[in-house]
Amino acid sequence: MIKEKIKIHDKYQFELKLGYKVFEGNKNTLYNIEIYFFLPNNLDINRHTYTKNNFYNDLQTYIRFKTPSFILRNIINGQDSPYNKLKLSFENLSNSLNKETIDNYIHQIKMFGCIIKSSLRDHIDFISDKTNNGDMENLIIEYAENIKNIRLNLKELRGIINTPNMSEKLFSYYLFCDEYISHIIEENSYKLLKLIETKNLLNRVDLFQRIYNIINDEITYRKINNKFHMPNQSSDNEELIFRKSVLKKFIGSVLFLKTMSERPAMLLEQILFGLAAGASMIFATAVAFYSQIKYGALSVPLFILLTLSYILKDRIKELLRLFFSNQIQKIFFDHKINIYTSEKKKLGWSKESFCFIKSKNIPQVINKIRNRDHITEIENGWVGEKTILYVNKIKLFSKKINDIYNSYNIEGINNIMRFDISNFLNRMDNPQKEIFILNDNSYKEIYGERVYHVNLVVKYSTFENTIYKRFRIVLNKNGIKRIEEVFTEKENGR
């Protein structure tokens, strides 16, 4: 099953997040994604102005594991809780410093930070979805109590590794995690305060105070521990933002996977290019032999024919190279991206390809979902749209993933694709257009926004089912205005 989420990342980029489930019991898990970009003709995006390299420069992908799911109350409690795994790694490191205990200690620290972040976010989302005020109040109180419990237990771990045999570097990993969690608690607590403001809760004042106490405790704790990284109204807070970003990358690195890109059929391409060179050389040599036989070793016709054969030889070589290159692109993917763990164990691969596709070659079901109307046809000059097809095929080695990450239940992989639309803006008109309205016996000039619609039709396929989605990305010269989900359809029993 594939789970997707699309959002605006910034005014020039949208982000499509795809979640791939790792199927247990299967040797391999295979997913296929097809994304059709329907572009208005007046954007002047075509195979000549927008190349394969342009597309892949605009596309940025990240592959990472999904964070193991734990509800907030179970992070500390329970035999198999993340905290107990973290505490055990601290004890093992304190008793024996070796590569295995060090690696596990760092791994558990990072996993604990990721789980805390995910659990806090999920708990607040769960509160916001509640319609019963009593349930909301109980969940907010539970949030505050669980935060207090987590902080007390995490602080106790400091004493386990605060020993003479522990290096400063190893001890700093704990400090990084501790500071990261402090920032995460503070950020989520502010989100909860904003949520409480929108609700008419009976014990609103008491709930506010509980959350304020959590934030004040974290600020005080960081001050005591010489972590003077607080927001300041009179500063640009550059250091704070930078440090939080570094901590986020450090903690999150445990879930990100390494990738290595390669070009499929590179050997075949070089062989075919060699054949193209050979064919052109055969032609030139044949012309030289024929000319010498017919006109002799030294003659004006021989000189002319040899010159022409050299020109044609060069053109034949380039035309054959272009022909073979186009045929290879039709058969093979543009890139193959191998997916590895940090220990360089291969967990799967991803293949991707890009091309402009003619209207007659677009599958009927995709055209139906695109649902062209007369407004669309007028906008595009009654000559249709340009359509880009991006194909991404993912293969995961399910058994290997489950074997390697057996300490936590890894449900799947997130493939995060960010696409930059800056190249689509070059030919756009100004974002504001003047329009006029009547005002009694006079008129008034006002302004309206000039927008363009880029439609995305996405097809997700697994061995279980196929899902179709359509999104409308509304753009103007200033960037992305909004993204609308227009259509969803699911086909079962493939």
Side-chain angles (χ1 to χ4, degrees):
M1 184 176 66
I2 297 176
K3 293 183 179 180
E4 51 67 38
K5 182 179 179 182
I6 191 168
K7 67 176 184 178
I8 298 174
H9 181 261
D10 56 48
K11 68 177 182 176
Y12 297 122
Q13 292 184 95
F14 68 86
E15 179 178 291
L16 181 61
K17 183 177 180 181
L18 305 174
Y20 308 110
K21 181 180 178 182
V22 177
F23 293 98
E24 296 181 9
N26 295 326
K27 186 175 181 181
N28 296 316
T29 304
L30 189 64
Y31 294 97
N32 193 68
I33 314 295
E34 296 176 16
I35 304 178
Y36 295 82
F37 294 74
F38 292 90
L39 306 168
N41 271 345
N42 48 6
L43 295 184
D44 195 30
I45 301 295
N46 55 58
R47 65 183 73 251
H48 304 294
T49 62
Y50 192 71
T51 65
K52 196 184 292 284
N53 287 336
N54 292 139
F55 179 82
Y56 287 116
N57 286 335
D58 290 340
L59 180 67
Q60 199 172 19
T61 59
Y62 307 89
I63 300 177
R64 51 161 288 175
F65 282 122
K66 289 184 178 180
T67 307
S69 180
F70 287 88
I71 60 175
L72 202 55
R73 71 180 71 144
N74 290 342
I75 288 178
I76 300 298
N77 304 317
Q79 183 73 24
D80 204 34
S81 70
Y83 174 76
N84 281 338
K85 291 177 181 178
L86 181 65
K87 184 178 180 181
L88 181 62
S89 73
F90 276 54
E91 291 171 346
N92 290 338
L93 181 70
S94 179
N95 293 331
S96 176
L97 281 169
N98 56 57
K99 187 179 185 306
E100 183 179 350
T101 58
I102 291 171
D103 288 347
N104 187 48
Y105 161 75
I106 297 171
H107 176 81
Q108 294 297 339
I109 275 178
K110 292 179 178 181
M111 286 297 291
F112 190 78
C114 291
I115 290 168
I116 290 286
K117 179 184 177 183
S118 177
S119 298
L120 290 175
R121 179 198 63 216
D122 292 346
H123 193 89
I124 293 174
D125 288 345
F126 187 63
I127 293 172
S128 66
D129 290 337
K130 287 294 177 184
T131 55
N132 183 285
N133 285 356
D135 288 342
M136 289 186 69
E137 291 185 7
N138 290 333
L139 287 167
I140 293 169
I141 293 170
E142 183 182 342
Y143 170 89
E145 291 176 347
N146 282 313
I147 291 295
K148 184 178 180 180
N149 193 23
I150 288 169
R151 294 307 278 142
L152 286 172
N153 281 276
L154 189 59
K155 289 170 187 176
E156 287 180 3
L157 295 180
R158 185 185 186 113
I160 297 177
I161 58 168
N162 192 16
T163 57
N165 68 329
M166 198 64 56
S167 70
E168 183 180 350
K169 183 178 180 180
L170 287 176
F171 187 71
S172 68
Y173 290 134
Y174 163 79
L175 298 179
F176 292 153
C177 178
D178 185 48
E179 183 182 352
Y180 173 78
I181 289 173
S182 179
H183 286 301
I184 290 298
I185 290 173
E186 184 181 347
E187 288 174 9
N188 281 278
S189 296
Y190 279 119
K191 290 178 183 177
L192 192 51
L193 284 176
K194 290 177 68 175
L195 178 62
I196 295 172
E197 284 179 342
T198 64
K199 306 296 180 181
N200 186 24
L201 302 176
L202 184 64
N203 298 311
R204 190 178 180 197
V205 175
D206 176 64
L207 296 173
F208 263 125
Q209 192 57 53
R210 285 175 183 265
I211 306 305
Y212 278 132
N213 289 341
I214 290 172
I215 295 171
N216 281 324
D217 287 346
E218 293 305 325
I219 292 173
T220 303
Y221 176 72
R222 292 205 301 274
K223 285 182 178 179
I224 291 172
N225 288 274
N226 297 321
K227 300 183 180 71
F228 297 106
H229 303 286
M230 314 295 169
N232 189 329
Q233 291 186 34
S234 60
S235 165
D236 61 6
N237 296 297
E238 175 188 314
E239 184 182 357
L240 172 65
I241 299 299
F242 178 78
R243 186 172 182 86
K244 287 169 73 171
S245 175
V246 172
L247 290 171
K248 179 183 176 181
K249 290 174 183 176
F250 168 73
I251 296 295
S253 64
V254 70
L255 294 174
F256 278 87
L257 297 170
K258 294 185 177 181
T259 58
M260 188 176 297
S261 180
E262 63 182 44
R263 284 186 61 194
M266 183 178 287
L267 178 60
L268 176 60
E269 183 179 62
Q270 295 305 315
I271 291 172
L272 292 176
F273 286 175
L275 291 176
S280 64
M281 190 63 193
I282 289 171
F283 168 79
T285 305
V287 171
F289 284 171
Y290 172 79
S291 302
Q292 287 189 14
I293 293 171
K294 186 168 181 65
Y295 300 109
L298 295 171
S299 64
V300 173
L302 173 64
F303 175 77
I304 294 172
L305 283 173
L306 288 178
T307 302
L308 289 173
S309 72
Y310 179 80
I311 295 170
L312 291 172
K313 166 183 168 290
D314 188 53
R315 291 302 88 209
I316 289 170
K317 177 182 176 182
E318 290 304 314
L319 287 171
L320 285 174
R321 281 170 61 93
L322 182 61
F323 172 77
F324 288 141
S325 180
N326 288 335
Q327 295 307 308
I328 287 172
Q329 288 179 17
K330 290 178 182 179
I331 299 170
F332 296 96
F333 285 84
D334 299 328
H335 306 110
K336 180 181 179 183
I337 303 168
N338 294 312
I339 304 170
Y340 297 92
T341 67
S342 55
E343 293 80 23
K344 297 184 179 179
K345 295 178 181 177
K346 191 174 179 180
L347 298 180
W349 49 254
S350 168
K351 294 180 181 179
E352 56 185 1
S353 67
F354 157 91
C355 67
F356 280 88
I357 182 172
K358 294 180 180 178
S359 295
K360 64 181 182 180
N361 295 328
I362 299 172
Q364 185 176 353
V365 64
I366 301 297
N367 266 326
K368 184 179 178 182
I369 293 169
R370 169 64 188 91
N371 190 23
R372 290 185 174 87
D373 53 28
H374 292 305
I375 289 294
T376 301
E377 296 299 337
I378 292 170
E379 179 195 8
N380 295 322
W382 293 92
V383 291
E385 301 167 303
K386 293 294 186 295
T387 306
I388 290 172
L389 171 59
Y390 170 71
V391 179
N392 186 212
K393 186 170 287 189
I394 305 281
K395 190 172 188 177
L396 304 175
F397 305 150
S398 306
K399 188 175 184 304
K400 187 177 286 190
I401 291 172
N402 291 323
D403 288 344
I404 293 173
Y405 295 92
N406 53 16
S407 61
Y408 282 101
N409 180 26
I410 299 294
E411 295 180 354
I413 286 177
N414 285 329
N415 188 3
I416 302 165
M417 292 186 281
R418 287 181 190 162
F419 190 80
D420 191 321
I421 52 86
S422 300
N423 278 314
F424 295 173
L425 310 180
N426 296 330
R427 301 288 185 178
M428 287 187 179
D429 289 341
N430 290 328
Q432 283 193 330
K433 290 285 184 180
E434 68 276 5
I435 53 179
F436 299 90
I437 59 172
L438 283 175
N439 186 13
D440 294 329
N441 292 324
S442 64
Y443 69 91
K444 184 179 181 181
E445 183 178 351
I446 61 174
Y447 290 91
E449 289 202 37
R450 174 70 166 103
V451 297
Y452 300 78
H453 291 174
V454 171
N455 282 273
L456 260 63
V457 176
V458 187
K459 177 183 176 183
Y460 314 98
S461 303
T462 72
F463 73 90
E464 288 184 324
N465 53 50
T466 299
I467 300 171
Y468 296 94
K469 294 261 189 180
R470 177 184 162 201
F471 303 101
R472 182 185 295 118
I473 303 175
V474 182
L475 313 170
N476 65 18
K477 187 76 171 179
N478 293 327
I480 302 172
K481 279 181 61 75
R482 65 183 180 274
I483 299 176
E484 303 166 351
E485 183 173 336
V486 182
F487 178 87
T488 300
E489 182 177 270
K490 183 176 180 180
E491 293 180 358
N492 293 313
R494 277 171 33 92

